[in-house]
Amino acid sequence: MVRRSVKHRAARVAGTAAVAKRWKENRVSEEVDEENSDGEILKDLDGLGQMKFEMMKERAEMYEKSFRNEVKKTKRTKHSLQKTKEKLEIKRAEKKEQQRASAKHDCNTEKEIGKLRKKLEVLDNRISVFCADKENLASNIHCLDKRVTRAGAQQEKAVLKAVEKEKKNRNTFHVKEKGIVADSVQDLARDLVALGLKPGIVGPAVTRILSAAEVEVDGVISCTMARCAVVEGGVAADLQITEAMKTSDGSTL
């Protein structure tokens, strides 16, 4: 609507300017003719005719004055139209510049948004990793808490087992250690035989004495075992005497 009205006004102004130009040319020629013919007309007219002629002349001057005003208005309109065109051109240029700046700003904004999205994705991944680590730590802490709660009971049980084992070991007389007759058992058998006990009675005597002392006997001291202990003791004594004689400087009887 604005463009059509501007074009319409421009056409009207151009038409008015052409009419004014033609009117000026005709007016110059008419003024020359009027000056020549006024004198002749005034001579021919009477008093009433002269009054009408004067009125017509004044009316023509009024029309001429109004026409001049219209011409001035037309010039002003043309000038304002030119200014309006210049303003429109300036506004169009400003609008284009704003559009370019806006497009550039939008492009930069999209780039920044892309960077922020990537950063958010990285942060989301880190947060998920941290959450998984947190869950693992929570489960580990829960397991450790359970272990701590069980540690006291386990320690008490271990202490009780050790005490029971120690009591059992102390209250048990082992004849053999790892399948071999202990040296203390052989010494005991030799001592009892030396005191006058027969080898066959050594085992029952030791069992009876230890039972009276509330000591459990693990194994049996047989007659053969007692005899072997005595024989081994004699052989060991002979070997000791022989070794002592070898190492000594002399002997006395």
Side-chain angles (χ1 to χ4, degrees), residues 66-126:
S66 63
F67 180 77
R68 288 176 181 173
N69 292 331
E70 289 294 329
V71 171
K72 289 180 180 179
K73 288 181 181 180
T74 303
K75 289 181 179 179
R76 291 173 185 170
T77 305
K78 286 175 70 177
H79 185 67
S80 63
L81 181 62
Q82 186 66 27
K83 287 185 176 180
T84 304
K85 286 182 179 180
E86 291 176 357
K87 288 180 180 180
L88 284 172
E89 292 295 330
I90 292 169
K91 287 184 178 180
R92 285 177 184 173
E94 289 177 354
K95 188 176 181 180
K96 287 182 180 179
E97 189 66 26
Q98 288 178 357
Q99 288 177 353
R100 290 176 184 173
S102 178
K104 188 176 181 180
H105 181 69
D106 292 339
C107 184
N108 294 329
T109 304
E110 288 179 358
K111 289 181 180 179
E112 292 294 331
I113 290 170
K115 291 180 181 179
L116 290 174
R117 284 178 180 173
K118 289 182 180 179
K119 288 182 180 179
L120 285 173
E121 290 177 357
V122 173
L123 290 174
D124 289 335
N125 293 329
R126 288 184 179 178

Side-chain angles (χ1 to χ4, degrees), residues 166-217:
E166 186 65 23
K167 285 182 180 179
K168 189 175 181 181
N169 290 331
R170 287 184 179 181
N171 295 329
T172 303
F173 180 76
H174 298 282
V175 177
K176 293 183 179 181
E177 293 180 357
K178 296 181 181 180
I180 300 171
V181 179
D183 293 337
S184 61
V185 175
Q186 291 181 0
D187 293 338
L188 179 61
R190 283 193 294 270
D191 292 339
L192 291 175
V193 171
L195 290 173
L197 292 178
K198 294 181 180 181
I201 304 173
V202 172
V206 171
T207 303
R208 186 68 180 272
I209 294 168
L210 292 176
S211 297
E214 296 182 355
V215 177
E216 185 180 356
V217 179

